[in-house]
Amino acid sequence: MSAEPLSRNQRMALISIALLVGVTRLLVLSLGPWDWDEVLFCLAIGDYNVAWHQPHPAGFPLFILLAKFARLFADSDFHALQAVNVVASLCVFPVMFAVARAFRFDYIPSLAAALLFAFMPNVWFYGGTGFSDPLGAVMFLAAIAAYLHAGTSTRRYVLASVLMAAGVLVRPQNAVVAVFPWTIATVRLLRAKRFRAVIAGSLVLVLLVGIGYGIAAYASGFEAYVMSIRGHSHNVALADTVANVGRPPLFEVLKMQLNPFDSAKVALALNLLALIAIVAGRRRVVAEVLLTFVPFFVFCMLAANPAGTSRFSLNYLAGIVLLAMEGTDVLARLVPRARIVVHAVIVAVLLGRLITWGWPAFATPRTTQAPPTAAAMWLNENVPLTSTIFVDGSARPWVRYFAPRHKTIVVNSIESVVEHPDVAHSWYVQVGAPPPSNAVAFVRPRNRTWNLVTKRGFEAFVQETSDLIEFADGWHGLEQDGATMWRWTKGHARMDLGPTDTPRELRLRFHAQKPVRVTFTLNEQLLGTIVAQQENDLRYVVRGHADRKNVLRIEVSETFVPARNGNSDDTRELGIMLTGWVWRGV
C-alpha cells in the first residue's frame, strides 16, 4: 500500500527538514505543570499507585516507566515528564511523513502534511508539557504507518503490534485510531495464509498490554486497582459523555472538534480543503483516511470532555491534515504546469498562519508558573508548618505535591472551613477566581493560550481563614465580565465570615436598582439600616467570634424580577448587587 521509494536527494531533504523541525520543539517548553493530570503524573513518579490516582486510571504504565527512567537524569519530576514528551515531539514530523506515505501520498504532499501537523499549535504546545498525549499520539501514528506498510511481512506486522501495544500502554482509549489499519494488515496476512504472523503479532500485542497493566495493578493492589477503574469510569461517564445533561449540544461539540484550537481562519481553510478531498479526491485514499480517523473523532464527540478538545484532537488532527493535503492536490491538478507552485503557495500560507497564530500562545506557559502551581509553591514557602492548610478539592494534587510537609484538610466549600475547629490561624487555597481583595491571587491572562488548553486553572488564590467569606443562603451565583465580578442577593441573604480575635473591617460595595431599605446584622446584633441608593459603599469596624464563624445577614425590603420589565428573560428574584466585599483586620 506504500508509495514509491524515496530517492537519495529526497531522503537527505527529509532528514534536513526533520532536524530543523526538531529544533523548534525546544522553543515551547512549559516552565512547570499546569493541569491536574500533569501533577498526578509528577506524584506517580515518586509513588506509583493508581488506586490513589497517582496517576488516574488506567495508570499510563509506559509513560510513567519512561518518565521514571528520565528522572535519573532530570532535576525534577516535571522535567522528566517533559523530557519524554520532547523525545516524542521530535518524532512527530518523521512519523507523520511515514503515515502520509502509507496512505500513498506522493513525496511533496507527504512532506507538506508532516510540516503542517508538526506546527499545529496544539501539537507543538503539548510537546513541551507533562501530558501523556504527545507520546500516545506518536505511538498510534507510528502503529498506523507500520500496519499499512506491513504487507505480508511477519517482522513488520509484529513491529506494528509492538507500537500498537506501546500506544495502548500510554492511552488505551485512543487505540480506536489504529483499528482500521490493524484490520487491513491482519486481513491481508490471513488472505496470504500467513497465520503464524497473525498469531505472533496478536500474542505480542496481548502479552505486552497484559504485562504492562498487570504491573500497574500489582503496584496498586489488584482489588483497589479494579475498584479505581470502575469508579473512574463511572465518573467519566457522568461528567464527560453525552450522559451529562450539561454537556454542549453535539453540533457545538462538532464545531469545537473541527476547530480544536479556536483559530477560525486556518481551521476553516483546512476543513474546506478536506471537504474538497472528500468530494473530488482519490476515493480509496479518502475512504481509508476516513475509516482510520473518523471512529476516534466520533468517540470524542460522544465520550470525551469537550473542554479538552485541543488535547484530544492530537489523535484525529492527522486525518484532517491528510485530507487537506489531498484537497490541495485536487486543486493543484487543475493547473498541471504549476502543480508544485500551487502546493507550495497553499502550504506556505497555512504554515505561516499556524506559526504566527501559535507562537504568542506559548509565551505565558514558557515564562510563568501556572496559578495553581504558583499558589501551592507560595504556601510551601510562606506558611509555617504549624499552620493548617484547608485545601479546596480543586487544588488537592498541587498541595499534595508542592507542600507535602504541611498539615492539610481537604474541603468542598468555604462553609466547611469556617465551621471547622482548626480554622483559627490557618490558610485556605482554591483554584478559581480570587475574591475582590484581601487574598494572595495568582492569575494568568485569558489570552491566546486560553484557546490551546483545557479552560481551567487560569486563576488561583490563597487566603487566611480569618479573612474568608462564604456566600451561604440567599445568593445567586457569581457573575463576571472579565474586569469585575458581582453577586445578586435575594430578599434575604447570609454571609459566613471567618473567626477572628481582633477588630475587623467589614466593607461592602453594592448597587441597588431602585431605593430600598437594607438591614445588616452580625451575629444577631444590628449593624445598621440604610436606604440604598444606586451605588453604595459601607464600612463597619466590629469585633466577632474568635472560636467560630461570624454570621452576617442582609435583608432587602423589596425585590424585583427583571423579566417583568419586558426587556429581559431573567426570572430571578433580585435584591441588591454586591460588587465588592472585604472582611479583614483593621
Side-chain angles (χ1 to χ4, degrees), residues 135-349:
L135 178 64
V138 166
M139 289 299 183
F140 282 119
L141 287 174
I144 290 170
Y147 275 127
L148 294 180
H149 275 301
T152 56
S153 168
T154 300
R155 183 179 301 176
R156 291 181 179 179
Y157 184 77
V158 171
L159 173 62
S161 297
V162 171
L163 293 169
M164 175 78 155
V168 173
L169 288 170
V170 177
R171 295 190 66 85
Q173 64 270 43
N174 297 356
V176 178
V177 297
V179 170
F180 176 73
W182 172 84
T183 303
I184 289 292
T186 304
V187 169
R188 185 184 297 114
L189 287 171
L190 291 174
R191 286 179 176 175
K193 298 184 178 181
R194 302 294 300 275
F195 303 117
R196 290 184 180 179
V198 173
I199 293 171
S202 300
L203 281 175
V204 165
L205 177 59
V206 172
L207 285 175
L208 288 177
V209 171
I211 291 171
Y213 283 106
I215 293 173
Y218 176 78
S220 310
F222 287 103
E223 185 176 351
Y225 181 79
V226 172
M227 291 295 292
S228 68
I229 288 181
R230 288 177 178 172
H232 186 65
S233 299
H234 177 71
N235 292 336
V236 167
L238 292 179
D240 296 346
T241 70
V242 290
N244 181 358
V245 295
R247 201 172 187 264
L250 284 180
F251 183 68
E252 292 298 321
V253 177
L254 172 65
K255 291 194 295 183
M256 293 167 65
Q257 292 188 191
L258 291 174
N259 183 16
F261 42 87
D262 199 16
S263 174
K265 292 181 180 179
V266 71
L268 178 62
L270 287 168
N271 289 320
L272 285 176
L273 289 169
L275 183 60
I276 291 171
I278 293 172
V279 173
R282 293 171 292 171
R283 291 184 179 180
R284 185 174 177 183
V285 170
V286 170
E288 290 174 352
V289 171
L290 291 174
L291 287 169
T292 298
F293 294 101
V294 164
F296 185 75
F297 186 92
V298 173
F299 170 81
C300 287
M301 279 191 66
L302 301 177
N305 181 0
T309 296
S310 176
R311 185 159 56 90
F312 299 142
S313 65
L314 267 61
N315 291 277
Y316 65 75
L317 261 182
I320 294 177
V321 170
L322 289 171
L323 290 176
M325 288 302 94
E326 179 67 14
T328 300
D329 202 48
V330 169
L331 297 178
R333 287 198 297 268
L334 297 177
V335 281
R337 294 183 179 180
R339 185 176 177 182
I340 294 180
V341 174
V342 173
H343 265 288
V345 170
I346 292 177
V347 172
V349 170

Side-chain angles (χ1 to χ4, degrees), residues 485-542:
M485 59 181 69
W486 63 90
R487 283 180 181 269
W488 281 97
T489 71
K490 299 178 183 178
H492 305 273
R494 190 186 96 217
M495 298 168 69
D496 294 337
L497 313 176
T500 178
D501 54 6
T502 60
R504 306 291 289 180
E505 176 189 21
L506 173 65
R507 188 165 185 172
L508 302 173
R509 292 192 302 274
F510 59 93
H511 167 87
Q513 192 77 0
K514 59 182 180 180
V516 291
R517 182 174 289 102
V518 186
T519 302
F520 300 92
T521 60
L522 180 67
N523 301 328
E524 307 304 326
Q525 299 295 315
L526 177 67
L527 290 180
T529 299
I530 70 164
V531 176
Q533 305 302 314
Q534 191 169 28
E535 302 297 335
N536 308 268
D537 192 342
L538 295 184
R539 179 179 181 270
Y540 297 104
V541 176
V542 300

